[in-house]
Amino acid sequence: MFSFLILLGLVLLFIFWGVGLYNGLVRARNAFRNAFAQIDVQLQRRFELIPNLVETAKGYLGHERETLEAVISARAAAVSGLSAAKGHPGEPGAMAQLESGERQLEGALGRLLLVVEAYPDLKANQTMMQLTEELTSTENKVAFARQAYNDAVMAYNNQREVFPSSLVAGNFGFAPAVMVTIPADQPQMRQAPQVKF
C-alpha cells in the first residue's frame, strides 16, 4: 500500500509538472499575441493618418497624382498584410505578407514626404505639419511595438525550444513564432521617415 501511494504521488507530481510547462507555453504564446495586438493598434493609427495626409497634399500636388495613388495603393496592401497577420500572428506566411505590405507603404510614404519637401506652401500648411508630426510619432510607436513583439516572440521561442518544455511543445502543437524584421538589403527601411520644415 505504501509503495502504491509513493507511485501515485510521483504520477501526480509528473502530471502537475507537465501542466505547469503547458501553461507556461500558453502564457508565452499569449504574450507575443498581445504584443502583436499593440503593433496592430499603431499600424491602424498610421493607416488612418494616411488618407488625411493624402487629402491635404492633393490640393498642392495636382500633377503628382502618381505619387498620391502609390501611397493609397501601398496603404491598401499594408492593410491587407495586417489583416492576414492579425488572423495568424507569428506564422511565417502571415508575417511575410505583413512585412511586404509595410515595405511598400514605407517606400511610398518616403516618396510622398520627399515630394512635400519640394512644395514650400504645402510644407508650411498647418494641417500638413500636424499630420506629418503625428505620422513621425506613430512611426516611433510602431518601432517600439515591433521591439516589444520581437522580445515576446523570442521569449516564447526560447521557452518552447528548451528542454523539457520542447517535449510538451512538440506534443501539443506549439509552433515557432516569426519575428517582424526589415530585410538587410533595404537599410532605408530601418529609419523612420524624417520630416523637416
Side-chain angles (χ1 to χ4, degrees):
M1 183 67 163
F2 183 70
S3 60
F4 174 74
L5 291 176
I6 291 175
L7 183 61
L8 180 63
L10 289 174
V11 168
L12 287 175
L13 184 64
F14 180 74
I15 290 172
F16 287 130
W17 173 74
V19 168
L21 288 176
Y22 179 85
N23 288 342
L25 287 165
V26 169
R27 279 191 295 276
R29 182 177 58 194
N30 289 342
F32 89 73
R33 287 179 176 170
N34 178 55
F36 183 81
Q38 300 310 310
I39 291 176
D40 175 42
V41 166
Q42 297 308 323
L43 291 179
Q44 287 295 340
R45 183 171 182 230
R46 184 197 319 158
F47 297 156
E48 291 168 5
L49 283 172
I50 290 170
N52 294 332
L53 191 66
V54 169
E55 282 300 315
T56 302
K58 266 185 185 177
Y60 293 91
L61 307 177
H63 59 285
E64 299 283 353
R65 185 161 282 309
E66 182 180 308
T67 302
L68 297 174
E69 289 172 357
V71 171
I72 296 298
S73 173
R75 177 187 179 270
V79 168
S80 172
L82 179 60
S83 294
K86 265 201 281 195
H88 308 285
E91 290 185 9
M95 299 313 289
Q97 190 174 352
L98 173 67
E99 290 172 17
S100 174
E102 283 300 301
R103 265 186 254 125
Q104 284 180 339
L105 181 59
E106 288 174 6
L109 280 175
R111 287 190 300 279
L112 176 63
L113 293 176
L114 284 175
V115 168
V116 167
E117 286 291 318
Y119 293 86
D121 290 343
L122 176 58
K123 203 164 64 167
N125 179 292
Q126 189 65 34
T127 303
M128 188 61 139
M129 288 170 57
Q130 288 173 338
L131 288 171
T132 51
E133 183 177 317
E134 221 172 300
L135 182 62
T136 301
S137 170
T138 300
E139 290 298 331
N140 289 333
K141 290 176 183 175
V142 167
F144 289 128
R146 283 181 183 152
Q147 180 62 47
Y149 170 78
N150 286 344
D151 289 345
V153 165
M154 183 183 69
Y156 166 75
N157 284 337
N158 284 343
Q159 187 163 354
R160 69 169 287 288
E161 291 173 8
V162 299
F163 184 80
S165 293
S166 60
L167 299 174
V168 174
N171 289 324
F172 288 98
F174 287 90
V178 177
M179 293 185 181
V180 175
T181 60
I182 298 172
D185 63 340
Q186 296 185 359
Q188 72 276 13
M189 299 306 252
R190 294 187 180 275
Q191 302 170 0
Q194 294 186 357
V195 182
K196 298 177 184 171
F197 292 102

